[in-house]
Amino acid sequence: QVQLVESGGGSVQAGGSLRLSCAAPGYGYTSYCMGWTRQVPGKEREGVARIDSDGITDYADSVKGRFTISQDNAKKVLHLEMNSLKPEDSAMYYCAAGPKLWNGRCPYDLWGQGTQVTVSS
C-alpha cells in the first residue's frame, strides 16, 4: 500500500524558514496532483499549495510569494519551502496526493500523517 511520509516540521521564530518534504514512493498515477494542506484545531483544513504532474502550481493567497512547492519526479518526493513564516502559519501540515481528472480537478485520495509547524512571534 502506498504511503505518504512527511518530514521537516518543527518550531521557528517569525520570519524564519522551514522545508517540508513528502515521500511517495510507488505512487502510481501518471496524471496526478500532490499538495499540502494545513489544519488548526477547531478550524477547517485549508489547501496551502498544489502541484500536478504537468508542473502546474497553485497557492493559497495567504502564502503566495512566501511558500514554494516543488517535486522530484524521479524520486516521487514533494517539497514545500516556507519562508517569512508568520505565527498564523502554525498548523499541522498534511501531504496529500490524488489523480488529476479530465476536468482538471484533483480529488485527494491519499494522505500523510501530518507534521507540526509552530511559528512563534
Side-chain angles (χ1 to χ4, degrees):
Q1 183 176 357
V2 177
Q3 292 183 320
L4 300 181
V5 181
E6 299 119 330
S7 61
S11 297
V12 66
Q13 288 191 327
S17 299
L18 284 173
R19 189 186 197 212
L20 305 183
S21 296
C22 174
Y27 191 67
Y29 289 113
T30 301
S31 183
Y32 63 85
C33 294
M34 292 189 72
W36 295 91
T37 65
R38 64 187 182 187
Q39 189 168 25
V40 175
K43 293 188 177 181
E44 289 189 0
R45 189 174 295 193
E46 65 167 339
V48 175
R50 187 183 77 187
I51 188 167
D52 68 21
S53 46
D54 295 318
I56 299 171
T57 59
D58 190 31
Y59 296 91
D61 288 342
S62 59
V63 306
K64 282 181 181 176
R66 300 188 297 121
F67 290 13
T68 302
I69 191 169
S70 62
Q71 60 184 345
D72 181 329
N73 288 330
K75 297 181 180 179
K76 290 278 176 52
V77 180
L78 183 73
H79 301 289
L80 184 68
E81 190 75 37
M82 304 186 294
N83 298 314
S84 301
L85 282 162
K86 304 175 182 180
E88 51 263 43
D89 293 318
S90 297
M92 185 70 79
Y93 283 70
Y94 297 90
C95 176
K100 183 178 180 181
L101 304 181
W102 63 271
N103 57 7
R105 293 186 62 198
C106 294
Y108 292 138
D109 62 3
L110 193 63
W111 296 86
Q113 296 291 329
T115 185
Q116 179 68 38
V117 171
T118 302
V119 184
S120 57
S121 57

